[in-house]
């Protein structure tokens, strides 16, 4: 059965999505909506990560239910250094880039949840199916939020 490695990859993807949402909230903290909503969405990812870790044991995976998601001091310093050296775009273009990345990552994770749900149905694994049916719509909503923010801000940023 290949579900164990797939759950490990889903865990990695959820951690990456949560990390990116935290990064977006930090980079754009002057926009209170971005800051607070992104942090709220991280709560869903934390719950998803814990669910995957719990179920992963059934498939031979030892996954961390509560990995460290906050940006470390070294990462923050490296990011600030890049900004100071001019490697990043203007803050407005960086916002579009960040929201696009969140949208793409969340869309991929939502599809992975859909595939996991299909496998869980085939295996008749109720616990896995329950987790997938809870997490997939929430991840889709994370992607939908990023897409809506992109639509809301793109014209103003790109035309001005």
């Amino acid at each position: 059965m290949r579900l164990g490695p797939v759950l490990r990859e889903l865990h990695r993807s959820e951690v990456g999505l949560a990390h990116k949402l935290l990064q977006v909230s930090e980079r754009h903290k002057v926009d209170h909506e971005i800051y607070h909503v992104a942090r709220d969405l991280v709560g869903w990812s934390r719950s998803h990560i814990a669910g995957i870790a719990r179920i992963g044991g059934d498939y031979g995976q030892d996954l961390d239910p509560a990995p460290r998601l906050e940006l470390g001091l070294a990462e923050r310093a490296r990011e600030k250094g890049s900004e100071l050296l001019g490697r990043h775009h203007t803050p407005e273009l960086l916002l579009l880039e960040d929201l696009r990345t969140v949208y793409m990552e969340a869309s991929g994770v939502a599809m992975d949840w859909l595939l996991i749900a299909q496998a869980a149905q085939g295996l008749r694994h109720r616990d896995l199916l329950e987790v997938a049916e809870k997490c997939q719509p929430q991840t889709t909503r994370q992607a939908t939020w990023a897409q809506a923010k992109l639509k809301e801000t793109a014209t103003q940023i790109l035309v001005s």
Side-chain angles (χ1 to χ4, degrees), residues 18-28 71 79 98:
H19 181 77
K20 185 63 181 178
L21 284 164
L22 283 172
Q23 186 181 46
V24 168
S25 75
E26 281 297 313
R27 280 185 183 169
H28 308 286
L71 297 176
E79 189 170 296
D98 285 343

Side-chain angles (χ1 to χ4, degrees), residues 91-102:
E92 296 83 13
L93 291 178
L94 183 59
L95 176 61
L96 291 180
E97 180 182 329
D98 285 343
L99 289 171
R100 182 183 178 281
T101 300
V102 168

Side-chain angles (χ1 to χ4, degrees), residues 18 35 38 45 49 55 70 78 97 106 118:
Y35 179 81
S45 287
I49 291 163
I55 295 293
E70 294 290 334
R78 194 170 35 252
E97 180 182 329
Q118 291 298 110

Side-chain angles (χ1 to χ4, degrees), residues 23 43 53-54 124 128 155:
Q23 186 181 46
R54 184 176 48 82
R124 299 177 203 264
L128 181 57
T155 303

Side-chain angles (χ1 to χ4, degrees), residues 11-140:
H11 183 270
R12 188 199 62 73
S13 295
E14 277 282 5
V15 169
L17 176 58
H19 181 77
K20 185 63 181 178
L21 284 164
L22 283 172
Q23 186 181 46
V24 168
S25 75
E26 281 297 313
R27 280 185 183 169
H28 308 286
K29 62 173 74 172
V30 295
D31 183 326
H32 295 290
E33 181 187 354
I34 296 283
Y35 179 81
H36 291 291
V37 173
R39 289 194 171 265
D40 288 345
L41 295 177
V42 170
W44 284 347
S45 287
R46 286 184 197 278
S47 173
H48 301 174
I49 291 163
I52 297 165
R54 184 176 48 82
I55 295 293
D58 296 346
Y59 295 93
Q61 302 299 310
D62 182 22
L63 304 170
D64 187 352
R68 185 170 176 272
L69 299 174
E70 294 290 334
L71 297 176
L73 195 54
E75 275 184 299
R76 285 184 191 185
R78 194 170 35 252
E79 189 170 296
K80 240 347 161 189
S82 292
E83 287 176 20
L84 293 173
L85 292 174
R87 291 187 193 149
H88 283 300
H89 308 294
T90 64
E92 296 83 13
L93 291 178
L94 183 59
L95 176 61
L96 291 180
E97 180 182 329
D98 285 343
L99 289 171
R100 182 183 178 281
T101 300
V102 168
Y103 172 74
M104 297 297 289
E105 288 186 23
S107 295
V109 172
M111 181 53 66
D112 290 345
W113 277 118
L114 183 67
L115 299 175
I116 292 290
Q118 291 298 110
Q121 283 181 332
L123 292 169
R124 299 177 203 264
H125 188 189
R126 288 180 89 55
D127 290 342
L128 181 57
L129 183 59
E130 284 177 18
V131 170
E133 286 179 341
K134 174 187 161 229
C135 296
Q136 195 272 338
Q138 289 177 339
T139 308
T140 299

